[in-house]
Amino acid sequence: MCGIVGYIGKKEAYPIIVKGLQRLEYRGYDSAGVALLNDNKLNVYKKKGKVADLHDFAKEHDLKSTIGIGHTRWATHGEPNDVNAHPHVSNGGKLAMIHNGIIENYASIKTDLTSKGYTFQSETDSEVFINFVEDIYLNTKVPLAEAVRLALNKVVGAYAIAIMSLEDPNLLIAARKGSPLVVGLGKDEFFLASDATPIIEYTNEVVYLDDQEIAIIKDGGLTIKNIEDVEMKPYVQTVDIELEAIEKGGYDHFMIKEIFEQPKSVADCLRGRLNAKNGHLHLGGIHDYANKIVNADRIVILACGTSWHAGLVAEYIFEEFCRISVEVEYASEFRYRNPIIGENDVVIAISQSGETADTLAAIDLAKSKGATIFGVCNVVGSSIPRVTHAGSYTHAGPEIGVASTKAFTAQISVLTMMALMIAQKKGTLSESAYRSLLVELETIPEKIAKCLDLNPQIEIISAKFKDAANFLYLGRGYNFPVALEGALKLKEISYIHAEGYPAAEMKHGPIALIDENMPVVFIGTKDSSYEKIVSNIQEVKARKGEVIAIVTEGDTDIAEIADHIIEVPHTHEALMPLVSVIPLQLLSYHIAVMRGCNVDQPRNLAKSVTVE
Ligand code: G6P
C-alpha cells in the first residue's frame, strides 16, 4: 500500500510527480504529499484526501524544482491527516522522506531518539526513520547515502523509501525491502515509482530494485548497492505497457473499463499459448518445471482476496482433470500455522499485483521447506515472479480499479491452461476431452463478450436492488467460488453486506436470514449440479426471498421460479466461472455507482496490500 514517486533531472519535477501519484492512487488514497527543492528551500506540501486535494492546495505555492518526491498514502500508523501524510522532514529540516511499508522496530528507535532530544510531529514510523538517518548522518559525518545504509541495517520491517536533502539538489536516494520500487532511466533524468505506470510516459527503460538494494542517483549517475555495501550491476529491463492501458479511455471508471476489456484480456492471456485446432497448449514459463507438478503429491495454492477465489476454481479443475489433491490456503493463515509442506509439494501462488505481503511471506516459508513454487501474477517484474521457481504471467494488462475483475478471469484462464497441460502429460484426461476443452477455452472471449451485451439488463436489475441491506450469493461446484467472488465484489465497492455460500450450506444457517427483503443471487447454469440448484431456489422462494439467477441461455425451469434471470452462453462447467462471473461484476458495479460510491477507490481498501 502507499504509492511513491520521485524525479531528478532537468524538467519541472512537480507535474511529473503529481501525475505519477494519480497513476498510483489505487495503492492508497487517504492523503498525499510532495517535497520539492527551490532556491535553497525545502518545500513540503501535504494534504489529507486525494491527490487532487493535494494539487488544489499545492498549486498556490512555489512548485519550482527539478528534484522531488511524492507519496499517496494508505494509513498504517496514525490516522489519515495532514500531519501524518508523507513526506516527513527530519528535525534538522534538511532531509525529506517518503516511505511505503512498515518499520516494525520504530518504537525502540523512537525512544532512543527522544532521549537525544528529537521530537516528532506525526504518529508515523516513517518520521522516526528519517530522524534516525539524520542522527547517524550528523554523528558519523559519513555521506548521506552511507547514513541511509547504516540506518537500514538496523531496521526491521518492510520499506520502499526515497530521500532527498536540502544540502544536495543533485542527490536522490532510494531503497527497498518487501515493498516494490522501480527506477526509470531517462535521458539526463531518473524516475522512481512503486510500479512502472508513472514512468512509461517518459522512458521504458527501468531497473526493478531487489530487496535490500539502495539506489543512489547523484550528479546524473545511478549506483546500486546492497545494504552490505556491495555494488550491484543494474539490470535494465524494457517495459512494454501502452499509455492507453492505464487511462480510462472514455469510460466513467477503471472498473467498468476493465470489465469490458475481458474479451481482450482473456484472449491476450491465451494468445500464443493455446491453439485448439492443432491441440497446441504451451506455457513457456512452466514448461521446464511441468514434471514437478505431474509428480507432485499435492498442490497447495496460496493467495488472498479475489486471487484466492481464482485458486478455489483451480482446485476443482486440477482435482478433476489432473487427479492431484489440492489445498487452497489463505496466505495469511498458512504463513503462521506451521504448515506441513515439503519437497514433493508444489505451491501455486496467485497474485494480481505480485506484491501481496502475506503471499510473499507464505512463499518464503514454503520455499524454505523445499517446495517448488509457481507464480501466477499479472504485474510483470513484481516481487512474486522474482522469488518463484517458475510461473506464468496472466497478461491482463494493468488493472487499476481496486476491485479485481479482469485479473480474476485471466488468472482462471492461466490456471486452466496449466491444469490441462498437466492432465495431458499425466494422461488423466482423454485426448478427446482435452481437445474439446481447448476448443471451448478458445471460445471464452466471445462468450464473455456476449455476457457484456447484458449490461443494460443488469443495470435495470441493479436499480431494483440498490437499496438492499444484505445480499446472499449461492452456487455449487465450479460456481461456488463465483458466488464468493460475486459477494466480495458487492461488499468491496457498494458497502452492502453480502455473503457467498455453497448453495447446499444455505440450510445450515443462511436460510434463517431469508425473507422478502433478502435478495439471493443464484449461479444456476446448466451443469452437473443443476437439479440441486433448482431445489435450492425453490427453498428460497418458499421463504419469499427475491431470486436473481444467472442461468444458461434457453433455461426454462429456473426462469419459471426466479424473479429475475440473466442468461449467459453455455460452456463446459469447468470453464463456466469465466462466464458466470461477468454479470456479477456488472451487478456490483452498477449498484455501487447508483449508491454514489467511489467504485475505483472504495473506502479503506487498497489494491496492493504490501502490509500484513
Ligand atoms: C486486495 C485487492 C484485491 C486482491 C487482493 C489480493 O485486497 O483489493 O482485489 O484480490 O488484495 O491481491 P493480489 O494482488 O495478491 O491478487
Side-chain angles (χ1 to χ4, degrees):
M1 356 269 278
C2 300
I4 70 176
V5 183
Y7 175 80
I8 184 164
K10 298 206 156 78
K11 297 186 189 131
E12 283 301 325
Y14 176 79
I16 295 171
I17 290 170
V18 162
K19 201 167 191 190
L21 290 179
Q22 263 152 353
R23 299 239 160 95
L24 292 181
E25 219 168 11
Y26 72 86
R27 301 178 64 86
Y29 32 82
D30 60 41
S31 54
V34 291
L36 305 164
L37 272 183
N38 185 30
D39 219 4
N40 208 24
K41 258 188 80 196
L42 182 61
N43 294 315
V44 175
Y45 309 118
K46 39 195 208 172
K47 265 275 158 262
K48 177 180 171 176
K50 303 265 158 102
V51 176
D53 299 310
L54 166 71
H55 179 61
D56 280 347
F57 169 70
K59 68 183 184 212
E60 309 299 329
H61 296 78
D62 177 11
L63 297 177
K64 271 194 84 56
S65 182
T66 54
I67 177 173
I69 53 179
H71 187 271
T72 177
R73 179 169 187 248
W74 187 91
T76 54
H77 287 80
E79 67 167 282
N81 58 28
D82 294 358
V83 177
N84 287 331
H86 297 218
H88 291 288
V89 175
S90 65
N91 275 205
K94 290 186 176 168
L95 303 179
M97 179 183 89
I98 49 175
H99 171 215
N100 167 31
I102 293 188
I103 307 293
E104 285 168 19
N105 59 337
Y106 84 104
S108 59
I109 301 173
K110 189 172 185 177
T111 309
D112 195 38
L113 290 172
T114 308
S115 72
K116 292 178 174 173
Y118 273 87
T119 56
F120 299 91
Q121 315 292 316
S122 76
E123 301 153 79
T124 65
D125 51 336
S126 316
E127 190 189 6
V128 173
F129 182 78
I130 192 60
N131 282 298
F132 186 38
V133 171
E134 181 185 277
D135 185 49
I136 295 173
Y137 178 60
L138 295 178
N139 285 316
T140 58
K141 305 267 186 291
V142 293
L144 182 59
E146 178 60 4
V148 172
R149 190 185 73 76
L150 294 173
L152 290 175
N153 272 285
K154 297 267 164 39
V155 150
V156 179
Y159 52 80
I161 54 165
I163 294 176
M164 56 191 264
S165 165
L166 182 59
E167 286 177 353
D168 190 348
N170 297 312
L171 174 67
L172 192 57
I173 301 166
R176 76 156 267 180
K177 182 184 166 214
S179 302
L181 194 56
V182 188
V183 183
L185 317 179
K187 192 174 169 328
D188 301 325
E189 58 185 358
F190 292 89
F191 306 82
L192 297 172
S194 301
D195 70 31
T197 56
I199 297 174
I200 54 167
E201 203 168 329
Y202 313 100
T203 174
N204 59 4
E205 297 218 317
V206 299
V207 175
Y208 292 96
L209 281 197
D210 271 328
D211 270 353
Q212 308 208 319
E213 281 185 350
I214 306 171
I216 303 152
I217 304 163
K218 189 168 166 50
D219 301 327
L222 167 71
T223 309
I224 295 181
K225 51 169 71 172
N226 67 17
I227 64 166
E228 266 96 49
D229 208 18
V230 179
E231 198 165 323
M232 318 295 289
K233 193 169 160 26
Y235 171 43
V236 181
Q237 299 188 45
T238 306
V239 276
D240 67 347
I241 304 173
E242 298 291 331
L243 203 53
E244 65 185 31
I246 54 169
E247 286 173 349
K248 280 193 205 141
Y251 287 92
D252 289 343
H253 301 98
F254 281 110
M255 182 179 177
I256 191 73
K257 174 184 175 235
E258 287 158 6
I259 292 173
F260 270 82
E261 272 172 359
Q262 287 174 106
K264 179 174 181 303
S265 53
V266 171
D268 286 347
C269 176
L270 305 179
R271 182 166 304 115
R273 294 164 161 178
L274 165 69
N275 184 332
K277 217 162 155 196
N278 56 20
H280 172 88
L281 184 56
H282 182 76
L283 285 170
I286 66 160
H287 187 261
D288 293 349
Y289 278 81
N291 280 337
K292 280 272 180 193
I293 312 185
V294 170
N295 299 318
D297 290 346
R298 189 172 63 134
I299 297 174
V300 177
I301 295 181
L302 300 173
C304 304
T306 289
S307 300
W308 187 79
H309 295 157
L312 285 181
V313 176
E315 175 183 23
Y316 284 67
I317 296 178
F318 271 98
E319 290 203 340
E320 178 163 347
F321 298 141
C322 309
R323 307 309 298 152
I324 305 174
S325 146
V326 179
E327 280 170 38
V328 189
E329 301 263 6
Y330 287 114
S332 55
E333 287 298 312
F334 179 87
R335 63 181 285 199
Y336 285 121
R337 66 167 177 73
N338 195 10
I340 299 166
I341 185 131
E343 287 173 13
N344 293 331
D345 292 319
V346 154
V347 164
I348 303 177
I350 310 171
S351 174
Q352 187 287 129
S353 62
E355 300 293 348
T356 302
D358 282 322
T359 310
L360 270 164
I363 291 171
D364 266 1
L365 176 64
K367 213 171 164 186
S368 72
K369 308 266 184 206
T372 306
I373 321 286
F374 290 80
V376 174
C377 296
N378 193 38
V379 177
V380 175
S382 55
S383 299
I384 291 176
R386 291 190 296 150
V387 296
T388 49
H389 294 105
S392 288
Y393 281 114
T394 47
H395 295 311
E399 189 182 68
I400 293 164
V402 165
S404 186
T405 52
K406 65 174 179 171
F408 178 71
T409 45
Q411 286 165 343
I412 296 176
S413 304
V414 165
L415 291 159
T416 305
M417 285 189 281
M418 262 173 116
L420 292 176
M421 195 173 139
I422 300 304
Q424 205 212 17
K425 275 185 183 292
K426 261 192 103 173
T428 44
L429 189 63
S430 71
E431 183 63 18
S432 65
Y434 170 76
R435 293 294 281 252
S436 83
L437 275 158
L438 293 192
V439 170
E440 204 45 47
L441 190 53
E442 220 168 47
T443 66
I444 291 297
E446 65 199 62
K447 290 186 175 167
I448 293 178
K450 281 190 106 182
C451 292
L452 295 170
D453 292 341
L454 301 167
N455 191 38
Q457 184 206 349
I458 295 170
E459 203 171 342
I460 294 166
I461 296 176
S462 305
K464 191 152 192 298
F465 292 98
K466 71 177 177 24
D467 297 318
N470 298 287
F471 255 86
L472 206 54
Y473 286 72
L474 301 173
R476 301 178 80 116
Y478 285 98
N479 280 325
F480 156 55
V482 177
L484 296 182
E485 177 59 9
L488 176 64
K489 284 291 85 82
L490 188 73
K491 72 185 127 191
E492 274 180 311
I493 58 168
S494 72
Y495 319 138
I496 294 175
H497 168 241
E499 289 193 56
Y501 261 89
E505 276 293 304
M506 175 181 76
K507 292 198 206 56
H508 301 286
I511 199 164
L513 301 170
I514 293 172
D515 61 15
E516 64 278 12
N517 297 318
M518 176 64 96
V520 185
V521 179
F522 274 96
I523 304 105
T525 49
K526 280 258 163 73
D527 59 22
S528 47
S529 50
Y530 179 74
E531 303 301 332
K532 310 256 180 241
I533 274 276
V534 174
S535 310
N536 295 140
I537 295 176
Q538 266 151 351
E539 287 154 9
V540 169
K541 281 315 300 170
R543 286 155 186 89
K544 298 198 169 55
E546 278 234 50
V547 171
I548 304 161
I550 313 298
V551 299
T552 306
E553 269 168 3
D555 183 296
T556 48
D557 298 357
I558 296 181
E560 256 175 42
I561 46 176
D563 299 281
H564 305 274
I565 57 158
I566 298 169
E567 294 185 74
V568 298
H570 173 75
T571 185
H572 188 288
E573 66 178 317
L575 306 182
M576 189 45 98
L578 290 165
V579 173
S580 58
V581 75
I582 309 294
L584 304 187
Q585 296 171 343
L586 289 168
L587 185 72
S588 60
Y589 171 77
H590 289 300
I591 290 179
V593 170
M594 286 170 193
R595 288 165 71 93
C597 299
N598 184 340
V599 290
D600 282 339
Q601 295 173 348
R603 69 182 179 207
N604 304 336
L605 297 177
K607 183 139 195 79
S608 184
V609 181
T610 55
V611 293
E612 61 171 295

